[in-house]
Coordinates of all heavy atoms in Angstrom, one line a residue:
I298 N 36.9 -24.7 -19.7 CA 36.2 -24.6 -21.0 C 36.5 -26.0 -21.7 O 37.0 -26.9 -21.0 CB 36.7 -23.4 -21.8 CG1 38.2 -23.3 -21.9 CG2 36.2 -22.1 -21.2 CD1 38.8 -22.2 -22.7
Q302 N 41.0 -27.0 -21.1 CA 41.6 -25.7 -20.9 C 40.7 -24.9 -19.9 O 39.7 -25.4 -19.5 CB 41.7 -25.0 -22.2 CG 42.6 -25.8 -23.2 CD 43.9 -26.1 -22.7 OE1 44.6 -25.2 -22.2 NE2 44.3 -27.3 -22.8
T303 N 41.1 -23.7 -19.6 CA 40.4 -22.9 -18.6 C 40.2 -21.4 -19.2 O 41.0 -21.0 -20.0 CB 41.1 -22.8 -17.3 OG1 42.4 -22.3 -17.5 CG2 41.1 -24.1 -16.6
I304 N 39.1 -20.8 -18.7 CA 38.9 -19.4 -18.9 C 39.6 -18.8 -17.7 O 39.3 -19.2 -16.5 CB 37.4 -19.0 -19.0 CG1 37.3 -17.4 -19.1 CG2 36.6 -19.5 -17.9 CD1 35.9 -17.0 -19.5
S305 N 40.5 -17.8 -17.9 CA 41.3 -17.3 -16.7 C 40.5 -16.7 -15.7 O 39.4 -16.2 -16.0 CB 42.4 -16.3 -17.2 OG 43.2 -16.9 -18.2
E327 N 48.0 -11.6 -28.6 CA 47.6 -12.4 -27.5 C 48.0 -13.9 -27.8 O 47.6 -14.3 -28.9 CB 46.1 -12.3 -27.2 CG 45.7 -13.2 -26.0 CD 44.2 -13.4 -25.9 OE1 43.5 -13.2 -26.9 OE2 43.7 -13.7 -24.8
I328 N 48.7 -14.6 -26.9 CA 48.9 -16.0 -27.2 C 48.0 -16.8 -26.3 O 48.1 -16.7 -25.0 CB 50.4 -16.4 -26.8 CG1 51.4 -15.4 -27.5 CG2 50.7 -17.8 -27.2 CD1 51.5 -15.5 -29.0
G329 N 47.1 -17.6 -26.9 CA 46.2 -18.4 -26.1 C 44.8 -17.7 -26.1 O 44.4 -17.2 -25.1
T330 N 44.1 -17.8 -27.2 CA 42.8 -17.2 -27.3 C 41.8 -17.8 -26.3 O 41.0 -17.1 -25.7 CB 42.2 -17.4 -28.8 OG1 43.2 -17.1 -29.7 CG2 40.9 -16.5 -29.0
G331 N 41.9 -19.2 -26.2 CA 41.0 -19.9 -25.3 C 39.5 -19.6 -25.6 O 39.1 -19.7 -26.7
S332 N 38.8 -19.1 -24.6 CA 37.4 -18.8 -24.7 C 37.2 -17.5 -25.5 O 36.1 -17.2 -26.1 CB 36.8 -18.5 -23.3 OG 37.3 -17.4 -22.7
G333 N 38.2 -16.6 -25.6 CA 38.1 -15.3 -26.2 C 37.7 -14.2 -25.2 O 37.6 -13.0 -25.6
Y334 N 37.6 -14.5 -24.0 CA 37.2 -13.5 -23.0 C 38.3 -12.4 -22.9 O 38.0 -11.2 -23.0 CB 37.0 -14.1 -21.6 CG 36.6 -13.1 -20.5 CD1 35.5 -12.3 -20.6 CD2 37.5 -12.9 -19.4 CE1 35.2 -11.4 -19.6 CE2 37.2 -12.0 -18.5 CZ 36.0 -11.2 -18.6 OH 35.7 -10.3 -17.6
Q335 N 39.6 -12.8 -22.7 CA 40.7 -11.8 -22.6 C 40.7 -11.0 -23.9 O 40.9 -9.8 -23.8 CB 42.0 -12.5 -22.3 CG 43.2 -11.7 -22.5 CD 43.4 -10.7 -21.3 OE1 43.8 -11.1 -20.2 NE2 43.2 -9.4 -21.5
L349 N 46.2 -15.8 -31.1 CA 46.5 -17.1 -31.6 C 46.1 -18.2 -30.6 O 46.3 -18.0 -29.4 CB 48.1 -17.2 -31.8 CG 48.8 -16.0 -32.5 CD1 50.3 -16.3 -32.6 CD2 48.2 -15.8 -33.9
E350 N 45.6 -19.3 -31.2 CA 45.2 -20.4 -30.3 C 45.7 -21.7 -31.0 O 45.5 -21.8 -32.2 CB 43.7 -20.4 -30.1 CG 43.1 -21.7 -29.5 CD 43.7 -22.0 -28.1 OE1 43.7 -21.2 -27.2 OE2 44.2 -23.1 -28.0
R351 N 46.2 -22.6 -30.3 CA 46.8 -23.9 -30.9 C 45.7 -24.9 -31.1 O 45.9 -25.8 -31.9 CB 47.9 -24.4 -30.1 CG 47.6 -25.0 -28.8 CD 48.8 -25.6 -28.0 NE 49.3 -26.8 -28.5 CZ 48.9 -28.0 -28.1 NH1 47.9 -28.1 -27.1 NH2 49.4 -29.1 -28.5
I352 N 44.6 -24.9 -30.3 CA 43.5 -25.9 -30.4 C 42.4 -25.4 -31.4 O 41.8 -24.4 -31.1 CB 43.0 -26.3 -29.0 CG1 44.1 -26.8 -28.1 CG2 41.9 -27.3 -29.2 CD1 43.7 -27.1 -26.7
L355 N 38.8 -24.7 -30.0 CA 38.7 -23.5 -29.2 C 38.8 -22.3 -30.1 O 38.0 -21.3 -29.9 CB 39.8 -23.4 -28.1 CG 39.7 -24.4 -27.0 CD1 40.9 -24.3 -26.0 CD2 38.4 -24.2 -26.1
S376 N 47.0 -21.2 -34.7 CA 48.5 -21.4 -34.9 C 49.2 -21.6 -33.5 O 48.7 -21.3 -32.5 CB 49.1 -20.3 -35.7 OG 49.1 -19.1 -35.0
D377 N 50.5 -22.0 -33.7 CA 51.3 -22.2 -32.5 C 51.9 -20.9 -32.0 O 52.7 -20.3 -32.8 CB 52.4 -23.2 -32.8 CG 53.4 -23.4 -31.7 OD1 53.2 -22.8 -30.6 OD2 54.3 -24.3 -31.8
G378 N 51.5 -20.4 -30.9 CA 52.0 -19.1 -30.3 C 53.5 -19.0 -30.1 O 54.0 -17.9 -30.0
Y379 N 54.2 -20.2 -30.0 CA 55.7 -20.1 -29.9 C 56.3 -19.4 -31.1 O 57.4 -18.9 -30.9 CB 56.2 -21.5 -29.7 CG 56.2 -22.0 -28.3 CD1 55.3 -23.0 -27.9 CD2 57.1 -21.6 -27.3 CE1 55.3 -23.4 -26.5 CE2 57.1 -22.0 -26.0 CZ 56.2 -23.0 -25.6 OH 56.2 -23.4 -24.3
T394 N 48.8 -16.1 -22.2 CA 47.9 -16.5 -21.2 C 48.0 -18.0 -20.9 O 47.1 -18.7 -20.4 CB 46.4 -16.2 -21.7 OG1 46.0 -17.1 -22.7 CG2 46.2 -14.8 -22.2
A395 N 49.2 -18.6 -21.2 CA 49.5 -19.9 -20.8 C 50.9 -20.0 -20.2 O 51.8 -19.1 -20.6 CB 49.5 -20.9 -22.0
V447 N 47.4 -23.0 -17.3 CA 47.6 -24.2 -18.1 C 48.9 -24.0 -18.9 O 49.3 -22.9 -19.1 CB 46.4 -24.5 -19.0 CG1 45.1 -24.8 -18.2 CG2 46.1 -23.3 -20.0
P448 N 49.5 -25.1 -19.2 CA 50.8 -25.0 -19.9 C 50.7 -24.5 -21.4 O 49.8 -24.8 -22.0 CB 51.4 -26.4 -19.8 CG 50.2 -27.3 -19.7 CD 49.2 -26.5 -19.0
M449 N 51.7 -23.8 -21.8 CA 51.9 -23.4 -23.2 C 52.6 -24.6 -23.9 O 53.7 -25.0 -23.5 CB 52.7 -22.1 -23.3 CG 52.9 -21.7 -24.7 SD 53.2 -19.9 -24.8 CE 53.9 -19.7 -26.4
L450 N 51.9 -25.2 -24.9 CA 52.4 -26.4 -25.5 C 52.7 -26.1 -27.0 O 52.2 -25.2 -27.6 CB 51.3 -27.5 -25.4 CG 50.9 -27.9 -24.0 CD1 49.7 -28.8 -24.0 CD2 52.1 -28.5 -23.2
Ligands
SAH784 N1 42.9 -16.1 -22.7 C1 42.1 -17.2 -22.4 C2 42.8 -18.2 -21.5 C3 42.8 -19.6 -22.0 S1 43.9 -20.7 -21.2 C4 40.7 -16.9 -21.9 O1 40.5 -15.7 -21.6 O2 39.8 -17.8 -21.9 C5 45.3 -20.7 -22.3 C6 45.1 -21.1 -23.7 O3 46.3 -21.1 -24.3 C7 44.4 -22.4 -23.9 O4 43.3 -22.3 -24.7 C8 45.5 -23.2 -24.7 O5 45.0 -24.1 -25.7 C9 46.3 -22.1 -25.3 N2 47.7 -22.4 -25.7 C10 48.6 -23.2 -25.1 N3 49.7 -23.3 -25.7 C11 49.6 -22.5 -26.9 C12 50.4 -22.2 -28.0 N4 51.6 -22.7 -28.1 N5 49.9 -21.4 -28.9 C13 48.7 -20.9 -28.8 N6 47.8 -21.2 -27.8 C14 48.3 -22.0 -26.8

Side-chain angles (χ1 to χ4, degrees):
I298 52 178
Q302 302 304 312
T303 55
I304 177 170
S305 301
E327 180 192 23
I328 310 294
T330 315
S332 67
Y334 178 65
Q335 170 75 73
L349 313 179
E350 170 57 54
R351 72 181 280 271
I352 302 177
L355 290 176
S376 68
D377 178 359
Y379 274 103
T394 74
V447 294
M449 181 153 161
L450 302 172

